[in-house]
Amino acid sequence: WLVHRARALLPVIGHSAYITLASGFLMTDVLALRLMLIGGYSGLVAFHALHERPLRIPFRWSVFFVVVNGVMALKLVRDRYPGAFGEEEESIYEGSFTQLSRGQFKRLMALATVETLPEGAVLTTERAACPHLYFVLDGSAQMRLNGEAVAVIGRGGFCNTLAYQRGEPGTPAYGTIRGRSPMRVVRWELAALRDLVASDADLERRLNHVLVSSLMRRLLTSRDGVHVQDYLGAKPTLRPSLTEAQEAAEAMLGTAPGGAHVVARRPSQMPAAKAAKAEHVEHAIAIAAGLAEDHHHHSHAPGHVVPPAGQPAAAAVGGGPPPRRGGGG
């Protein structure tokens, strides 16, 4: 009796199954899509099974599609809901790693070690290979280049990103980074980190996005933040006084205080102190541009190129010379 009643509902079951499939194809969320496909193909399984003489080929393929989408849905659920984070992990994730899924962040932290370092601890040495990537939880460190202090890396900043981004064992550190105070850091072994991202292209792309975001935040909150404002399309808050580093980079970008246009000078045409600061600003922008180019290469978005030798990094990022402030840029 139940079978006969169910067969009487076959048109309803069939139409409902196909409507569910069609609705699934309209979903923009991948998990919702998988769940709708599971429901639709399950309806088709019932539709074919209830016929007096079921069509075996569509029945078997419908079962196969239910299994495939079920497995993929389980993977998505595990990635999105990997379990509760500890209080500190939750704070780290919400503060700096929301570009990753929660499952990706959990796999990343499984490779990490949290360490407490004393004041003066050396994280990287200029032109020497460092096998670690660091993320600052508390405290701050100073980076020196050619013996000159060029940047301060505080909470939420990464150390030795250039070695990770290049992806080559033995890549030397960009500068010497030494703790200015006692620090708590998250440390990853670069070799293990590269193995992890090599098995997950989406994680690699998202982690590069995290590194770019951290670097740009540091640049914009530093005394030289004005020189990358065109990269992001937003002007940061500057300190009241104009430092020598700002003057050097203003000349490098072709503008003077107040927005007046001047003849652009390369670092080789500047006094030694100003040239060193200008080179640091340009190199920092180049690092961010390289990471952004790698991110867009994975997502097939056009328009980002690695700056050729001799070309200002700011020009390569924007596709042309930097806009002149005060002159319509």
Side-chain angles (χ1 to χ4, degrees):
W1 177 80
L2 288 177
V3 173
H4 287 295
R5 288 294 301 269
R7 286 175 178 170
L9 295 174
L10 278 178
V12 176
I13 295 173
H15 287 302
S16 298
Y18 281 110
I19 289 173
T20 303
L21 288 175
S23 300
F25 295 136
L26 299 177
M27 297 293 107
T28 56
D29 180 78
V30 179
L31 180 57
L33 167 64
R34 295 292 184 182
L35 294 176
M36 296 293 281
L37 292 181
I38 291 171
Y41 282 116
S42 296
L44 289 182
V45 169
F47 177 79
H48 292 300
L50 289 172
H51 277 82
E52 291 186 7
R53 300 182 63 184
L55 298 175
R56 295 182 180 180
I57 292 178
F59 172 77
R60 290 172 179 173
W61 277 107
S62 296
V63 172
F64 174 76
F65 290 138
V66 170
V67 173
V68 168
N69 284 286
V71 171
M72 298 305 295
L74 285 175
K75 289 184 177 180
L76 289 171
V77 170
R78 290 179 58 190
D79 191 54
R80 291 191 185 184
Y81 310 104
F85 292 160
E87 184 177 345
E88 185 172 55
E89 280 191 337
E90 186 70 35
S91 176
I92 297 171
Y93 177 75
E94 293 294 338
S96 300
F97 289 87
T98 52
Q99 293 96 330
L100 305 183
S101 71
R102 298 180 74 87
Q104 289 172 334
F105 178 70
K106 201 169 186 71
R107 294 199 300 276
L108 188 68
M109 291 303 292
L111 298 178
T113 302
V114 178
E115 297 181 335
T116 300
L117 304 177
E119 181 179 354
V122 177
L123 281 74
T124 66
T125 302
E126 184 177 355
R127 299 187 181 90
C130 174
H132 306 122
L133 176 69
Y134 297 93
F135 176 77
V136 180
L137 293 176
D138 293 300
S140 63
Q142 185 176 71
M143 182 167 69
R144 303 183 73 88
L145 184 62
N146 297 323
E148 182 181 2
V150 294
V152 173
I153 303 172
R155 177 180 174 86
F158 287 87
C159 304
N160 205 29
T161 55
L162 184 62
Y164 165 76
Q165 191 267 334
R166 287 189 174 175
E168 301 171 359
T171 299
Y174 173 55
T176 297
I177 301 177
R178 185 186 301 269
R180 303 170 68 205
S181 62
M183 300 174 63
R184 290 185 67 248
V185 298
V186 179
R187 176 177 61 83
W188 290 276
E189 297 287 341
L190 284 179
L193 190 57
R194 290 189 185 111
D195 289 341
L196 176 65
V197 299
S199 64
D200 188 340
D202 183 59
L203 172 58
E204 181 179 22
R205 177 177 59 84
R206 289 171 181 252
L207 183 56
N208 277 340
H209 192 183
V210 170
L211 295 175
V212 170
S213 299
S214 173
L215 178 59
M216 298 312 296
R217 281 196 305 270
R218 177 161 64 84
L219 286 174
L220 286 173
T221 55
S222 73
R223 63 184 181 180
D224 304 314
V226 67
H227 311 305
V228 293
Q229 63 180 286
D230 292 327
Y231 184 85
L232 295 182
K235 185 174 181 179
T237 302
L238 297 180
R239 293 185 177 183
S241 59
L242 186 67
T243 64
E244 285 188 351
Q246 291 169 345
E247 284 182 323
E250 287 282 1
M252 182 182 72
L253 294 176
T255 56
H261 179 64
V262 298
V263 177
R265 295 185 295 170
R266 306 304 307 146
S268 60
Q269 299 172 299
M270 301 176 189
K274 293 185 179 181
K277 292 181 175 69
E279 287 177 344
H280 167 63
V281 172
E282 185 172 4
H283 189 85
I285 298 174
I287 295 172
L291 285 170
E293 189 277 333
D294 181 68
H295 163 66
H296 287 287
H297 170 74
H298 285 294
S299 54
H300 305 288
H304 286 259
V305 296
V306 177
Q311 178 181 336
V317 170
R324 299 176 184 175
R325 278 167 291 159

